[in-house]
Structure formats: C-alpha cells, structure tokens
Amino acid sequence: MKFKKLFVTGALGRIGSQVVPTLAKEIEVKPTDRFAGTIALEGDKTLPVEPLNLADFAALREAVRGCDAVLHLAIASEREFLKQYPGKPLRKTADMTPEEKDLFERAMLETNVKGTYNVFEAALQAGVKRVLFMSSLTTVMGHPDPEVLTRPAENKPSNFYAVTKLFGEQLGELYHRLYGLEVLSIRLGQPYPIGSYHDETYLSSPMRRLSNVHIEDIAHGISCCLKTDLDYGVFYLCSEADAYTVDQTLWDRLGYRPKIRFTEHGMERNS
C-alpha cells in the first residue's frame, strides 16, 4: 500500500460502515462521523469512530493531521434528513414538499459544499498527500440518453445533489493544479445492496443494472485508488453489467476490474 494512514469522513454511513472493515485489512484507518460509534471488524474486533463536525475547521484540521490519505464520504443524506419528520415515509427529494426540499438543499450546501471545502483545505494544511472524493454518476445523468454513461461525456447534473458533487470535483481539480494535492474523484454508481427500495428497482432493466456497484466493488475501487501512481483523475465506479458497460477510461490505469456482474438473472461473481 502506497499510503500508511487513511482518514475517513462519513464512516458510519451506508457505504462507509460496509467498506471500512475491508479497507482496514490493508491500511490503518481513522474513521470519523457526526457522532461517535464503532464499526465491526473481523472476529469480535471493533474500530472506534471519532465524532467530528465538518463545519469545525480547526477540529477537522487537527483530526486529519498525521494521516497521508483522505476518503471523503460524508454527505447530507435524504435518510438522515427525513428522520426529523417522524411518521412520514422515506421518499425521494422529488417527492418532498417545497419547504422540505429547501431545507434539505440548504443542508447539502452545508455538508456537500462547505464541508467538502473544509476537507480539502484541512488536508492541504495538514500535509495530506492524496484525497479520494466520492462523487456520483448523477453528475452526467442530466443527459436524456442513459447510454451517456457508456462513454466520456460533458457534465450535466441531474439534480441539486449532483451540482454539489460537481463542486467537489472541480475543487479537487483546483487543489491538484494549484497546490499539487493528489486527487481522485470517484463517480459512484448505485450502491448495492443498501437495504432499501432501490435494491430491486436497480435490478429491473439493463440500463438500471448498468449503474449498479456492489459494496465489494466499492471497497475494491477505493483500494485501487490508494495503490495507483495516478495523481489526478475522475472515473466511474460501477460493477459489470450484462448489456452495457460504463466508461472505463481510467480502469486500466487504476488496475480496477469489477468482481461482481449484474444480469437479468441476478448477481454473479466474475472469475
């Protein structure tokens, strides 16, 4: 492994809590989240998660000091936001009331924009060598043709969340170009499984399966980003699918090959 200690934000989220145990087998991990907690490792071992508010820049800079790589997963999530409305069903942003949508988008500004700026600046000031920024395929899914994912495409965000992710990508490019910070932006597909209505929906058609990425492949992709000599790039992170394949421009450079394949019959493991 090229790096010695990985700082993780959003470690208790749906992705972080599932990939940190795998990453901890390869590198020392310092997980953080809004609240303290623990992540189960192999056997009966656990890894403590330190509480950290990304809005507290001084605390963030101090927390990241001593780490040479950062994995920035933290976002303002629909699931956490809607917990303040007990009794109402989990729903997408498009189904929120105008008041809920406004509050949620302001929450995204705080975490996905201001928080992301703080992460990049804290990493720079603390002497971190590489930042892995978890972006999203939604940065290009505003195009009407879903096959846009199969080739390099100009940015066209599908929603406000995607706009905040483009901000993070562009900020990463700026910090790489001006300050030499190594930055890899990972345009994440639809995580699977995450235990929600998304799971069955995203197995239902070839174009939906195209965007799936199994948790095992997410951990594998992150690991590749920590091992590669590539010091800047933006790449799509998905598993393999039966009918279509996402743009693989940087896969060879990263040494990434999906371990999971999604088909009309379900999920298969690649040999």
Side-chain angles (χ1 to χ4, degrees), residues 168-223:
E169 289 185 10
Q170 291 298 304
L171 189 66
E173 189 280 329
L174 183 72
Y175 270 65
H176 173 70
R177 177 162 43 87
L178 294 185
Y179 311 119
L181 184 66
E182 297 182 8
V183 178
L184 294 176
S185 291
I186 303 168
R187 289 183 169 175
L188 187 68
Q190 175 60 45
Y192 183 96
I194 57 174
S196 79
Y197 60 87
H198 284 301
D199 287 350
E200 293 305 317
T201 299
Y202 280 85
L203 291 177
S204 62
S205 71
M207 287 310 303
R208 287 187 180 275
R209 292 192 293 274
L210 164 69
S211 65
N212 282 351
V213 55
H214 193 273
I215 289 294
E216 189 173 336
D217 279 332
I218 298 176
H220 175 44
I222 293 169
S223 176

Side-chain angles (χ1 to χ4, degrees), residues 1-263:
M1 181 65 69
K2 183 176 181 179
F3 300 96
K4 296 181 178 180
K5 190 171 184 179
L6 177 66
F7 182 88
V8 180
T9 69
L12 290 175
R14 285 179 171 176
I15 295 173
S17 60
Q18 295 186 77
V19 302
V20 163
T22 301
L23 296 172
K25 298 175 184 178
E26 301 184 80
I27 187 173
E28 181 181 354
V29 179
K30 182 177 182 179
T32 67
D33 210 305
R34 291 188 305 154
F35 305 105
T38 57
I39 294 177
L41 303 179
E42 282 189 341
D44 57 357
K45 296 181 180 179
T46 60
L47 187 63
V49 178
E50 298 183 15
L52 181 66
N53 183 350
L54 296 184
D56 187 341
F57 178 75
L60 173 58
R61 181 179 55 193
E62 186 59 31
V64 77
R65 201 176 298 280
C67 298
D68 52 2
V70 168
L71 172 60
H72 181 34
L73 297 174
I75 58 169
S77 72
E78 294 173 344
R79 181 182 56 155
E80 292 300 316
F81 174 76
L82 290 171
K83 283 182 179 179
Q84 63 186 297
Y85 299 100
K88 287 190 175 184
L90 180 65
R91 53 205 183 281
K92 299 179 182 179
T93 307
D95 298 322
M96 293 180 184
T97 67
E99 292 77 14
E100 290 171 347
K101 176 177 173 293
D102 175 63
L103 288 172
F104 181 52
E105 289 181 348
R106 292 180 186 277
M108 284 194 279
L109 284 173
E110 290 300 318
T111 301
N112 302 10
V113 175
K114 293 181 181 179
T116 296
Y117 166 77
N118 282 347
V119 167
F120 273 103
E121 184 60 25
L124 180 67
Q125 292 190 22
V128 168
K129 296 178 182 177
R130 178 172 296 179
V131 173
L132 309 185
F133 173 67
M134 193 60 72
S135 186
S136 170
L137 288 186
T138 59
T139 53
V140 296
M141 291 180 70
H143 291 277
D145 179 7
E147 289 191 33
V148 68
L149 296 178
T150 66
R151 58 185 183 273
E154 66 177 28
N155 298 332
K156 184 169 269 191
S158 61
N159 52 32
F160 187 77
Y161 168 77
V163 171
T164 69
K165 286 301 181 181
L166 279 176
F167 169 81
E169 289 185 10
Q170 291 298 304
L171 189 66
E173 189 280 329
L174 183 72
Y175 270 65
H176 173 70
R177 177 162 43 87
L178 294 185
Y179 311 119
L181 184 66
E182 297 182 8
V183 178
L184 294 176
S185 291
I186 303 168
R187 289 183 169 175
L188 187 68
Q190 175 60 45
Y192 183 96
I194 57 174
S196 79
Y197 60 87
H198 284 301
D199 287 350
E200 293 305 317
T201 299
Y202 280 85
L203 291 177
S204 62
S205 71
M207 287 310 303
R208 287 187 180 275
R209 292 192 293 274
L210 164 69
S211 65
N212 282 351
V213 55
H214 193 273
I215 289 294
E216 189 173 336
D217 279 332
I218 298 176
H220 175 44
I222 293 169
S223 176
C224 289
C225 287
L226 290 169
K227 294 174 180 176
T228 183
D229 289 329
L230 190 68
D231 61 6
Y232 175 78
V234 179
F235 84 104
Y236 294 177
L237 179 55
C238 290
S239 295
E240 190 175 317
D242 49 0
Y244 300 90
T245 305
V246 297
D247 174 56
Q248 302 177 7
T249 302
L250 293 181
W251 284 17
D252 287 339
R253 290 287 306 275
L254 292 171
Y256 172 73
R257 283 293 176 270
K259 298 183 178 183
I260 302 298
R261 185 172 188 262
F262 290 94
T263 75

